[in-house]
Amino acid sequence: MPELPEVQTTVRGLNSKVLKRAFVNVWSDWEKTIKKPKDFKVFKKEIKGKKILKIWRRAKNIIFDLSEGYSLLIHQKMTGHLMVGKWKQIKNKWQPIKKGPLEEKINTFLHVIFFLENGKMIALSDVRKFAKIELWKTKDLLSSKEFNKLGPEPLEKSFTFRKFQKALKNKKGKIKQVLMNPEVIAGIGNIYSNEALWWAKIHPQKSISELSLKELKLLYNAIKKVLLTGVKLGGESFSDYRNVEGKKGHFDDERKIYKREKEKCSRCGTQIKRLKFGGRSAFFCPNCQKL
Ligand SMILES: [Zn+2]
C-alpha cells in the first residue's frame, strides 16, 4: 500500500501537471470506487466544470481543492495509483497514446478516468479495486470526524519530539502496530515502520510501555529519516506503486530490512528474520533489535 512517501510523490507529480485545470468528464467501469455522492451520475454532474486549485495530502489521502468550495478526496488504498497522461479507448480497453511506462501491465487496470479541459487525463489504475473517491464540500471535509481523528503529520515542523511522546502516551500494544495506526501518527505503513524500527534498534514486538526515553528519541529520529528519504527517492520500488508517470520510485537503494528476510543485516551481518503478527509481516535483525 502506498505510504506517506509514495502519496507525497504522487501529490508532487499532480501539482506539476494538472493545476488550474477544470474537469470536463469522468469515466468508470467500477463505479463503487466513488463513495460520495454514491450515485455516479450525480458525482459526474457535480464535478464537471470545477477547477483544480491545489493538491495536498493528509495521511494517505490525496486532496484536490476545487473551485466553488469543493474538495475531491482520493485514497489509493492497497493497490491504487493515479497517473497523468492521455489514453484512447480501443475495443473497450484504454491504451496510452504514447509508448513508455504507462504501458506497463500494473498501469493498465484503469477503473476511473478524469478528463481535463486541456485533453489530459488523470487515471486510477487499481488491480484490487479498493481505492475510494469522495467529493466533499471543503468545509465539511475539514471538520469531518474521519479527518479530525487522524494523528499528526510526522514530516511537519510542528511534529516535535514532545508531540511524538504525546501521540504515544497512554497507547497500549506493540510498537510496530501502534506506529501503523493512522490515528496515532499519519502515513506510516508496513514498509516505513519496519525500516524505522531497524534504524532505532527496537524489536517490532516491544511493547510501548517498555520503551526507554533513549529508544523513543532514536525512534522519533528514525521515523523522520526514513520518511524523508522515501520522499526524496520518490517512494518505493518493489511492489505495485507507480508515480504519476507510471514509474517506480528509488527507495530500494536505501531499503535496509523490509522484505529482506534471510539476507544479512547491513549493520551486523546477522540473518534477518520475518515475523507475522497483527496480519502483517515484521522484518527485523534478531541481533540489533532485541526484545
Ligand atoms: Zn543487525
Side-chain angles (χ1 to χ4, degrees):
M1 183 194 282
E3 300 177 32
L4 187 155
E6 289 74 43
V7 180
Q8 189 65 40
T9 302
T10 295
V11 164
R12 193 164 58 198
L14 288 167
N15 268 310
S16 73
K17 290 180 187 289
V18 300
L19 274 190
K20 305 216 167 72
R21 298 297 168 190
F23 291 106
V24 292
N25 205 357
V26 195
W27 165 91
S28 179
D29 69 348
W30 192 254
E31 296 176 6
K32 279 190 218 165
T33 308
I34 286 100
K35 310 272 188 232
K36 188 182 164 74
K38 277 214 171 79
D39 186 336
F40 182 60
K41 282 194 196 101
V42 178
F43 174 82
K44 217 162 142 166
K45 205 173 141 207
E46 284 186 356
I47 202 162
K48 263 185 206 172
K50 297 206 169 43
K51 204 166 152 181
I52 302 169
L53 304 178
K54 179 183 160 192
I55 304 151
W56 56 290
R57 180 190 60 76
R58 177 72 174 103
K60 297 173 188 171
N61 299 293
I62 298 169
I63 299 123
F64 295 72
D65 281 345
L66 309 177
S67 54
E68 298 168 59
Y70 279 83
S71 289
L72 177 71
L73 178 147
I74 301 182
H75 194 305
Q76 306 178 109
K77 300 275 175 163
M78 292 299 288
T79 57
H81 60 277
L82 293 173
M83 295 168 295
V84 179
K86 286 182 183 176
W87 288 262
K88 59 175 187 251
Q89 211 170 17
I90 302 166
K91 288 178 192 158
N92 278 329
K93 186 107 180 89
W94 289 98
Q95 287 178 2
I97 283 173
K98 276 192 206 156
K99 291 213 169 297
L102 295 180
E103 291 176 305
E104 193 197 343
K105 184 79 183 165
I106 195 71
N107 295 330
T108 61
F109 299 91
L110 304 188
H111 295 299
V112 180
I113 300 178
F114 295 94
F115 302 86
L116 303 175
E117 109 256 47
N118 61 347
K120 275 193 188 168
M121 305 171 192
I122 303 172
L124 173 75
S125 180
D126 189 9
V127 186
R128 294 177 65 183
K129 302 194 268 200
F130 289 134
K132 73 164 181 182
I133 298 178
E134 298 173 337
L135 185 63
W136 288 77
K137 284 253 171 69
T138 306
K139 64 171 174 27
D140 293 343
L141 175 68
L142 297 178
S143 59
S144 68
K145 222 164 103 188
E146 57 173 308
F147 222 65
N148 282 304
K149 69 182 182 190
L150 290 168
E153 284 291 335
L155 287 187
E156 270 178 18
K157 276 210 180 86
S158 59
F159 187 68
T160 56
F161 179 64
R162 277 189 62 167
K163 202 158 185 179
F164 175 62
Q165 274 183 302
K166 212 179 131 193
L168 296 186
K169 208 181 163 188
N170 301 325
K171 298 288 180 307
K172 289 194 182 79
K174 298 175 170 60
I175 183 61
K176 178 155 184 299
Q177 278 171 307
V178 176
L179 284 183
M180 287 172 59
N181 179 353
E183 292 175 23
V184 178
I185 302 169
I188 305 173
N190 210 21
I191 301 171
Y192 297 94
S193 60
N194 275 300
E195 294 292 318
L197 288 166
W198 181 84
W199 281 103
K201 300 187 182 174
I202 296 170
H203 192 287
Q205 282 186 310
K206 192 151 186 172
S207 113
I208 290 242
S209 56
E210 288 169 22
L211 293 174
S212 66
L213 185 65
K214 191 185 158 202
E215 284 177 315
L216 284 171
K217 280 189 176 156
L218 285 169
L219 183 57
Y220 168 77
N221 288 325
I223 289 170
K224 290 211 163 196
K225 178 192 166 86
V226 295
L227 293 175
L228 269 175
T229 306
V231 170
K232 209 172 86 192
L233 296 178
E236 53 103 336
S237 33
F238 32 86
S239 69
D240 39 25
Y241 170 73
R242 297 292 182 277
N243 63 24
V244 297
E245 287 165 352
K247 295 179 191 159
K248 292 179 177 190
H250 299 283
F251 187 71
D252 216 21
D253 307 345
E254 278 295 321
R255 179 171 55 103
K256 301 294 185 191
I257 196 101
Y258 180 72
K259 285 195 178 167
R260 288 209 185 278
E261 188 189 3
K262 290 183 181 154
E263 291 179 38
K264 282 180 177 169
C265 167
S266 63
R267 195 162 40 206
C268 74
T270 306
Q271 202 178 70
I272 292 167
K273 286 217 157 105
R274 189 176 90 142
L275 193 68
K276 264 202 128 173
F277 69 99
R280 306 302 295 267
S281 286
F283 301 87
F284 69 104
C285 167
N287 180 46
C288 296
Q289 297 164 269
K290 289 194 173 109
L291 246 194

